[in-house]
Amino acid sequence: MTSSSLGVSLAVAFVIVSIGLVSVGLSTDYWLQYNVDYTILELSGFTKEIQTTEHWNTRHRGIFRECYTNKTRSFLSLNTIDINCKYLEFEIPESDGFEQRSQSYKTFIHLRRCVVGFLLLCILLMVVGLVMGGLGCWLSPRKLTRAAGILVLLAVFFGVAAMAFFHGAKVLEDDKIEEKDIAWLRSSWNTSLKQYTTMRYRWSYILTWVGLGVGIISSVLFLIASWITHQKDKEVAMWLLKRCMRTVGTLWWLRHYPVVLG
């Protein structure tokens, strides 16, 4: 196996891993973890809120859903898609009062939609790059391999943009949105709840970043393999040119200075 073929094979393997990691990250519900200190809040007299209000409970959140670890709460029977999860709000279709909301809230919703769209576009471009890279591995044309590398690199760009949108939406949710009538928004939380709720990033978020990193490696391998193939093509072309010039020179010599044999 030549170095270029090995590079393309490794690039194909890496892009498969990248697609898998980003897809798992997008589809699972462990991007964020909210831990609520029940003990202190119950001692402070917030037992009713903990029993009846979703954002007073420990939960983990993905791109599409938010799930609750304590399944005994009464609110879980409302607006749920399984035993302990509910869909996040994307305002699709937009509610009647959406246009009357603050600009920060509308931007927040648009950023949430962009996260989903850009991650899906990232996966789609990686799949196309995988197909082109596979063809390049089989047929070995330099242009296919280079196109695969550029597509995967473009896919990573969209993935990184999606992560930027995700963080932008998080900043708006935590610090900018002022709506007090939407219970799950931080702006409507009780001061004690804000004080005794901690947030951390979980493995779905980390997997997505790792998948994008693997995608960059795959793109670089595709482009290196394309460059190696190009260099080899140049060497073959130079060798053929030299042989051609040598042959032409020999024919010219024989034409002007024929050699009589026998």
Side-chain angles (χ1 to χ4, degrees):
M1 181 181 290
T2 63
S3 55
S4 60
S5 298
L6 177 61
V8 173
S9 300
L10 287 174
V12 168
F14 274 108
V15 78
I16 291 173
V17 173
S18 180
I19 292 170
L21 291 176
V22 175
S23 299
V24 170
L26 176 63
S27 60
T28 49
D29 305 315
Y30 289 87
W31 282 62
L32 300 173
Q33 174 83 31
Y34 290 91
N35 294 310
V36 180
D37 193 331
Y38 295 128
T39 303
I40 296 178
L41 290 174
E42 287 177 347
L43 289 174
S44 302
F46 294 107
T47 304
K48 181 179 179 181
E49 287 83 353
I50 293 173
Q51 291 290 339
T52 59
T53 312
E54 57 193 45
H55 58 278
W56 284 78
N57 287 266
T58 295
R59 58 204 180 273
H60 53 86
R61 179 191 295 180
I63 296 298
F64 300 103
R65 308 192 308 174
E66 190 167 66
C67 300
Y68 299 84
T69 56
N70 193 330
K71 303 178 178 62
T72 63
R73 309 306 187 191
S74 60
F75 65 82
L76 288 175
S77 60
L78 304 175
N79 193 31
T80 56
I81 52 178
D82 57 25
I83 296 176
N84 64 324
C85 297
K86 70 180 187 65
Y87 278 120
L88 296 177
E89 188 59 69
F90 286 92
E91 292 278 2
I92 300 177
E94 294 177 356
S95 61
D96 294 337
F98 181 76
E99 291 301 326
Q100 281 68 51
R101 294 291 183 185
S102 67
Q103 186 59 45
S104 295
Y105 178 79
K106 289 189 282 188
T107 303
F108 166 73
I109 293 298
H110 291 316
L111 286 175
R112 268 193 171 179
R113 297 170 182 172
C114 286
V115 171
V116 177
F118 273 57
L119 282 178
L120 290 175
L121 185 57
C122 169
I123 294 171
L124 176 62
L125 289 174
M126 283 189 179
V127 170
V128 176
L130 172 63
V131 173
M132 297 187 73
L135 291 174
C137 186
W138 182 259
L139 303 175
S140 299
R142 177 174 58 88
K143 290 184 178 179
L144 270 180
T145 306
R146 183 174 60 186
I150 293 172
L151 273 176
V152 175
L153 188 62
L154 185 62
V156 172
F157 169 78
F158 280 108
V160 172
M163 301 302 281
F165 293 146
F166 173 79
H167 283 282
K170 190 73 181 65
V171 169
L172 288 175
E173 180 182 0
D174 291 344
D175 302 323
K176 301 297 182 180
I177 298 176
E178 299 177 353
E179 269 75 1
K180 302 292 185 181
D181 59 324
I182 304 177
W184 53 270
L185 286 174
R186 187 179 176 87
S187 57
S188 69
W189 292 6
N190 179 285
T191 303
S192 297
L193 178 61
K194 292 180 181 179
Q195 182 178 357
Y196 296 111
T197 299
T198 58
M199 187 278 294
R200 62 190 177 96
Y201 295 100
R202 293 292 305 277
W203 58 266
S204 298
Y205 170 85
I206 296 170
L207 272 186
T208 305
W209 272 119
V210 172
L212 295 175
V214 174
I216 292 176
I217 296 173
S218 173
S219 174
V220 170
L221 288 173
F222 274 128
L223 294 175
I224 290 175
S226 174
W227 179 80
I228 292 174
T229 303
H230 177 62
Q231 293 301 113
K232 288 184 176 180
D233 289 345
K234 284 176 64 176
E235 291 175 4
V236 171
M238 289 300 297
W239 181 82
L240 289 174
L241 180 60
K242 289 178 181 178
R243 287 297 299 269
C244 182
M245 294 298 292
R246 190 178 303 169
T247 302
V248 170
T250 302
L251 292 174
W252 182 89
W253 182 269
L254 289 174
R255 180 179 178 183
H256 291 81
Y257 301 97
V259 176
V260 180
L261 299 178

